[in-house]
């Protein structure tokens, strides 16, 4: 019998199950807050132990500053045998999570009320499919990359169905019906690497992409105005119409814990005067490349803020800045540049009026943060989805991309070339205007009846309707 007073109108109860890596965790936490502030009852699962200290710190400050979001711990099963450990701590963690997903049902049933939906990462789509099906809980994927990359990954099972999940060596472009084709040069090198130890396609991308049609929807950290061609083709069903409904709900809003930049000296700087350089926490430039980058920044004459990778135990990790960049560089630029080796709240830095340009690799999270603030990007893709994202940045007018710099490590980009492009980034009025326009469109997407606000409300309405049935 229908109980009209207590069903339907109740707020949805949603659970977020983020995957490791700050680039994955951050969008989940942002979306969790956005749903909580739209009257959903939100629980976030933290996998314990986390992959790095930074993530633990992020979780604890998140839960203490959002008391109405419930924390649930999933204690993952670690397997210390050598065949399940990888040189990449993230891969080891993914495997441990994959081995532990059967612990989810008992964990979820410990919640006081049944849940309306679980929001998880693409990388666990295949592992979760059966579990959420058995539990009868709708499963939504939160995509952490561009629509451009998401659609390409979603097409991989079709593309590689008859080639044993391997790319042929001799192709020029990837054609996806209804979408712009992708030149081979922007396909992630890790997809093309057919050495026997590379299981990225066969173990991760293909099985998870094959599971996409089973999920209830995909939330994209992008917005219609930013990737208009790709998103409208996906929304209209002109491309990949076997995929579940897509909800472009980006750029996700930074949460309260991300609002402080913690760099008081920034406040004394002239508006749009500073070049901000950050290649994220998972990329290491070679020492030679770092020295050339330093030279380029020095020669450009602009004040700069350069944040070096602070995460994980990479080979550069133990070295001091003096060793990495040279005493004379630090001496010559000490009145003009700040070099730091630590985690920063990037969203808050990009929101600061003093930042005039952003040199980065185009990790998607960073791109969306720059888009929100309309900060022009000098794209220097290093690996993975970066070139696909750089293409989005360039097309949307958010930044420039010097294609002949290639992938990270492909060639040594000289300080003089970097100097020239940094000057262009900081001096190009047209670029500054078009980047500003992207920022304006990003904000409009969240106004009443904005495209991202509408998409987010559509998700919430759908959950309410389902609960009411
Ligand atoms: C949770 O707290 C936030 C403020 O921190 C508030 O905007 C939101 O409405 C609250 N959500 C619920 C469901 O109580
Ligand atoms: C693996 O190592 C962790 C920490 O070193 C330990 O807590 C855990 O019990 C070990 N697991 C097994 C199956 O031995
Ligand atoms: C995840 O677990 C399933 C089932 O246990 C297994 O078949 C699959 O190979 C695992 N995937 C990875 C990437 O380890």
């Amino acid at each position: 019998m229908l109980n009209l007073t207590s069903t339907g109108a109740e707020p949805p109860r949603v659970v977020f199950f983020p995957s490791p890596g700050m680039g994955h965790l951050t969008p989940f936490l942002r979306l969790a807050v956005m749903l909580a502030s739209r009257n959903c009852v939100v629980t976030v699962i933290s996998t314990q132990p986390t992959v790095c200290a930074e993530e633990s710190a992020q979780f604890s400050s998140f839960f203490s500053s959002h008391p109405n979001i419930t924390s649930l711990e999933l204690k993952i099963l670690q397997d210390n045998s050598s065949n399940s450990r990888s040189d990449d701590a993230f891969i080891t963690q993914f495997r441990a999570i994959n081995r532990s997903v059967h612990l989810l049902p008992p964990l979820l049933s410990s919640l006081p009320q049944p849940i309306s939906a679980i929001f998880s990462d693409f990388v666990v789509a295949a592992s979760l499919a059966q579990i959420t099906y058995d539990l009868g809980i709708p499963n939504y994927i939160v995509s952490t990359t561009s629509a451009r990359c998401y659609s390409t990954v979603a097409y991989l099972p079709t593309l590689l169905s008859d080639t044993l999940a391997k790319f042929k060596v001799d192709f020029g472009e990837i054609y996806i019906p209804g979408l712009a084709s992708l030149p081979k040069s922007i396909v992630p090198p890790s997809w093309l690497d057919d050495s026997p130890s590379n299981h990225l396609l066969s173990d991760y991308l293909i099985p998870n992409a094959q599971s996409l049609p089973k999920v209830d929807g995909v939330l994209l950290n992008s917005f219609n105005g930013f990737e208009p061609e790709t998103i409208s083709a996906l929304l209209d069903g002109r491309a990949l119409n076997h995929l579940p409904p897509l909800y472009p709900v980006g750029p996700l809003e930074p949460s309260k814990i991300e609002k402080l930049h913690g760099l008081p000296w920034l406040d004394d700087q002239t508006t749009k005067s500073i070049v901000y350089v950050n290649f994220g926490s998972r990329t290491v430039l070679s020492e030679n490349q770092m020295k050339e980058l330093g030279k380029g920044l020095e020669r450009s004459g602009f004040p700069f803020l350069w944040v070096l990778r602070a995460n994980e135990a990479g080979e550069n990790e133990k070295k001091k800045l003096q060793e990495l960049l040279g005493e004379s560089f630090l001496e010559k630029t000490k009145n003009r540049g700040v070099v730091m080796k630590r985690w920063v709240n990037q969203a808050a830095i990009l929101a600061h009026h003093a930042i005039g340009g952003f040199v980065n690799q185009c990790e998607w999270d960073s791109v969306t943060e720059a888009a929100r603030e309309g900060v022009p990007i000098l794209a220097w893709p290093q690996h993975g989805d970066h070139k696909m994202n750089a293409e989005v940045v360039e097309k949307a007018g958010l930044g420039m991309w010097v294609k002949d710099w290639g992938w990270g490590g492909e060639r040594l980009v000289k300080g003089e070339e970097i100097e020239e492009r940094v000057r262009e980034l900081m001096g190009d009025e047209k670029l500054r205007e078009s980047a500003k326009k992207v920022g304006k469109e990003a904000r409009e997407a969240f106004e009443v009846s904005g495209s991202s606000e509408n998409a987010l409300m559509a998700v919430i309405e759908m959950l309410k309707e389902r609960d009411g049935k």
Side-chain angles (χ1 to χ4, degrees):
M1 225 208 282
L2 268 182
N3 179 347
L4 293 175
T5 54
S6 67
T7 54
E10 280 188 21
R13 295 165 305 275
V14 296
V15 171
F16 284 83
F17 181 39
S19 289
M22 292 302 280
H24 292 252
L25 179 57
T26 305
F28 273 79
L29 297 183
R30 289 178 183 169
L31 191 58
V33 176
M34 289 165 74
L35 286 186
S37 71
R38 285 163 182 79
N39 207 30
C40 296
V41 178
V42 177
T43 299
V44 174
I45 298 178
S46 65
T47 39
Q48 300 292 339
T50 57
V51 73
C52 60
E54 188 44 52
E55 274 184 37
S56 307
Q58 199 73 2
F59 272 124
S60 49
S61 90
F62 178 80
F63 289 121
S64 60
S65 49
H66 297 96
N68 63 4
I69 293 182
T70 308
S71 152
L72 209 53
E73 283 191 4
L74 176 72
K75 296 219 161 46
I76 52 175
L77 303 171
Q78 286 180 303
D79 176 352
N80 305 332
S81 61
S82 58
N83 62 358
S84 74
R85 300 201 74 82
S86 157
D87 292 342
D88 187 330
F90 290 89
I91 298 280
T92 305
Q93 184 82 347
F94 281 133
R95 287 186 188 153
I97 291 174
N98 187 36
R99 252 195 321 278
S100 312
V101 286
H102 64 279
L103 301 173
L104 271 178
L107 191 66
L108 295 176
S109 62
S110 73
L111 288 168
Q113 281 182 299
I115 64 174
S116 316
I118 181 160
F119 290 75
S120 56
D121 200 306
F122 172 77
V123 297
V124 296
S127 337
L128 278 195
Q130 192 60 40
I131 288 179
T132 51
Y133 177 80
D134 290 344
L135 290 171
I137 300 174
N139 182 202
Y140 290 82
I141 301 278
V142 180
S143 162
T144 54
T145 185
S146 52
R148 182 72 162 141
C149 179
Y150 162 72
S151 53
T152 310
V153 170
Y155 190 63
L156 287 176
T158 315
L159 184 71
L160 300 176
S161 59
D162 58 350
T163 54
L164 296 172
K166 278 197 166 66
F167 276 95
K168 288 199 216 94
V169 196
D170 57 347
F171 75 98
E173 291 193 317
I174 297 179
Y175 297 99
I176 307 178
L179 296 175
S181 59
L182 289 95
K184 186 176 184 177
S185 61
I186 78 170
V187 174
S190 52
W191 296 8
L192 302 171
D193 166 10
D194 61 359
S195 62
S197 61
N198 181 21
H199 303 294
L200 181 68
L201 285 169
S202 59
D203 286 5
Y204 297 92
L205 297 178
I206 307 255
N208 289 321
Q210 276 166 337
S211 296
L212 279 175
K214 296 182 201 155
V215 307
D216 294 85
V218 174
L219 280 71
L220 201 61
N221 186 8
S222 189
F223 56 107
N224 298 23
F226 196 38
E227 298 185 78
E229 281 171 50
T230 311
I231 291 180
S232 65
L234 293 170
L235 290 179
D236 301 351
R238 272 180 287 131
L240 302 169
N241 60 12
H242 68 290
L243 294 180
L246 185 72
Y247 302 92
V249 297
L252 298 173
E253 190 185 334
S255 64
K256 213 161 27 184
I257 57 168
E258 301 178 73
K259 296 260 155 88
L260 292 175
H261 55 70
L263 307 170
W265 57 270
L266 264 187
D267 299 341
D268 304 329
Q269 309 301 313
T270 316
T271 296
K272 305 213 181 297
S273 63
I274 294 182
V275 187
Y276 169 51
V277 184
N278 191 341
F279 282 83
S281 53
R282 296 201 67 198
T283 293
V284 194
L285 300 179
S286 73
E287 265 188 71
N288 283 340
Q289 189 58 81
M290 274 206 262
K291 293 208 168 73
E292 293 298 326
L293 176 52
K295 200 199 274 177
L297 290 171
E298 181 196 328
R299 295 172 57 114
S300 78
F302 287 97
F304 60 86
L305 166 60
W306 183 4
V307 178
L308 269 64
R309 151 174 157 145
N311 238 338
E312 302 175 69
E315 56 177 303
N316 291 336
E317 193 54 16
K318 289 172 211 83
K319 294 205 178 171
K320 295 207 167 63
L321 288 175
Q322 286 86 333
E323 282 177 77
L324 287 174
L325 304 173
E327 197 72 67
S328 81
F329 167 78
L330 294 174
E331 186 55 35
K332 274 190 277 186
T333 58
K334 69 169 188 254
N335 295 322
R336 184 154 64 70
V338 172
V339 187
M340 295 190 318
K341 251 178 101 179
R342 54 165 243 214
W343 174 260
V344 293
N345 268 335
Q346 176 160 290
I349 291 177
L350 287 168
H352 199 282
H353 70 83
I355 303 299
F358 182 21
V359 181
N360 105 309
Q361 58 181 339
C362 289
E363 211 166 59
W364 187 246
D365 218 21
S366 298
V367 169
T368 63
E369 288 166 355
R372 258 183 80 84
E373 303 300 339
V375 176
I377 291 179
L378 167 53
W380 189 353
Q382 299 290 309
H383 52 79
D385 60 359
H386 300 168
K387 281 193 184 178
M388 294 189 214
N389 301 343
E391 189 196 61
V392 173
V393 165
E394 190 181 66
K395 267 195 186 165
L398 182 63
M400 50 193 267
W401 169 23
V402 192
K403 297 193 184 59
D404 72 5
W405 288 3
W407 292 107
E410 215 171 351
R411 76 174 178 90
L412 185 68
V413 180
K414 301 298 260 181
E416 289 78 4
E417 299 173 79
I418 298 168
E419 168 197 358
E420 186 191 332
R421 298 307 181 159
V422 167
R423 284 177 194 268
E424 207 178 318
L425 171 74
M426 298 300 281
D428 185 339
E429 268 313 309
K430 252 174 72 187
L431 178 63
R432 186 162 286 185
E433 278 310 307
S434 64
K436 199 169 144 191
K437 190 161 154 264
V438 172
K440 185 166 166 282
E441 285 170 0
R443 277 189 300 280
E444 284 167 357
F446 279 104
E447 285 169 6
V448 178
S449 299
S451 63
S452 296
E453 184 63 34
N454 275 353
L456 197 55
M457 292 314 288
V459 173
I460 295 174
E461 281 311 312
M462 200 166 39
L463 297 177
K464 282 188 193 166
E465 249 172 57
R466 271 193 127 109
D467 285 349
K469 280 201 184 128

